[in-house]
Amino acid sequence: MRHIRLGAAGGIVCVCASLAAASGGVAAPSRALSAPANVDVSQRHLNESEETIAVNPTNPSNIVVVSNVGHLEAGLTSGMFAAVSFDGGASWAGRLIGNGDNLGDACCDPSLSFDQYGNLFLTYLFQIENTVPVALSTDGGLHFNLVANIVAPPKGTPTKAAGESRGLFRFVDQPTITTGAGEVWVVVNAGGPMVATGAAVSGLGQVGSFATVEVVPGTNNCTYGDVAIGPAGQVMNVCTLTESGQGGGKLFVNVDPDGLGPGGFGDRTFVSETHVGGFDFIPAQPDRSVDAEPGLAWDRTGGPHNGRVYLVYTKEQKNESDNTDVNVRYSDDGGASWSAPVRVNDDSTVNSQFLPKIALDPTTGKIAVSWYDARGDLGTGGPGDTDGIPNDDAQVWGAFSADGQAFSPNVQISAGTSNSEDAGNGIDFGDYSGLSYFGGIAHPAWSDNSNSNGDNPDGALHQLDIFTAAVAAPPS
């Protein structure tokens, strides 16, 4: 394990601007705010990407990060990077997991979620097996043990609608895990439709059996989504229709109104066009491409917007323009209808914003959004441009909102500027980044090769490390 420490003076930066009304559905313009103190969590040779981060609600100083590693580059057969902090993200202890240990042969695509009891759930993909593991830590991420292995439903379970050509568990991709209301749920693309399963949780280490996998109706060829749990234990899945290549693209949600009850998921509801399609190649993601990467956050706080569910996604303004923006909508009726979109990024460029992440603070009901942003790369030099080519470099930016209707001025979170193609990662920044939000402090996690701290062992504009920061929400 490597212990990394940030100087005692650094840590939390407040986005000290009040929430401003979004004129015409656009966030208020950004202000000149210094980036918060950045921490290189991994400090490893080769690439780390597709990071997930979670804050322990029973001990908010306990934060955990897990990510992919470039294990094939290193001659390893499997593994993921995991790091634990017990001082709010100032210092970290990192290690490899799933490298033939008790978690098996981990490939990639990790997803983390802490619950109200301090249980930390982890799901990911195996390197070889076509099943989805679920691991549990009851000591703040220091140790994990497998508690479930999600497999295809029994024979005879309907897996395809008329005219659909791809079968269940042909492969598995991008599992997501979430907790809330005494439940834990996993959704995963099962090589055709999305499937879901959940289990009851009654205390620390007290996890019931996962239910038989359920096919989410109308989700064939629909993937790259998210799952959220509502105040009454209802469950929502969002996914992106990916058959449309680099154009088109539609977002749908399905809701299971009784969660672990017998009801099951209902039919899909259309939410929005994206123009992103399933795999949209942009200059900042020339190898992997991007999807709309929708994310959900459901308010269970009992506050003024209790029951409101928020949806973040990427929208391309004109097909194949590379002018992609981050939008947020919300629903107050359990996903039956949705608000008009609000554009979260407040730049005036036609550059790309992509791979957004959303998180809701369970202590306040406010939301935070973070994303990769190429607004500073006009190809004319300066701190946002590494190579004189426009729109191919990225920073990480973020914003806050109390209601999903008005967002704070955007704040630059990453201190440096990264270029994913220079990393030689094969998947650029990956398919997603990480964000957790608790007690008024947002903790984004992202892939970064700027070497802004000078502690990436591969140097600047080479391989990617995992970075994080602590960003305080603005006053209401």
Side-chain angles (χ1 to χ4, degrees), residues 385-417:
D385 179 20
T386 70
D387 55 10
I389 301 172
N391 207 26
D392 71 333
D393 299 309
Q395 302 158 338
V396 172
W397 286 66
F400 295 86
S401 177
D403 55 12
Q405 301 176 74
F407 281 82
S408 67
N410 293 179
V411 59
Q412 182 179 332
I413 295 173
S414 63
T417 301

Side-chain angles (χ1 to χ4, degrees), residues 352-354 371-377 382-385 393-397 412-419 429 446-448:
S352 303
Q353 286 78 33
F354 56 99
W371 62 91
Y372 291 98
D373 197 315
R375 72 176 70 188
D377 184 12
D385 179 20
D393 299 309
Q395 302 158 338
V396 172
W397 286 66
Q412 182 179 332
I413 295 173
S414 63
T417 301
S418 296
N419 184 289
F429 293 116
W446 69 94
S447 302
D448 190 304

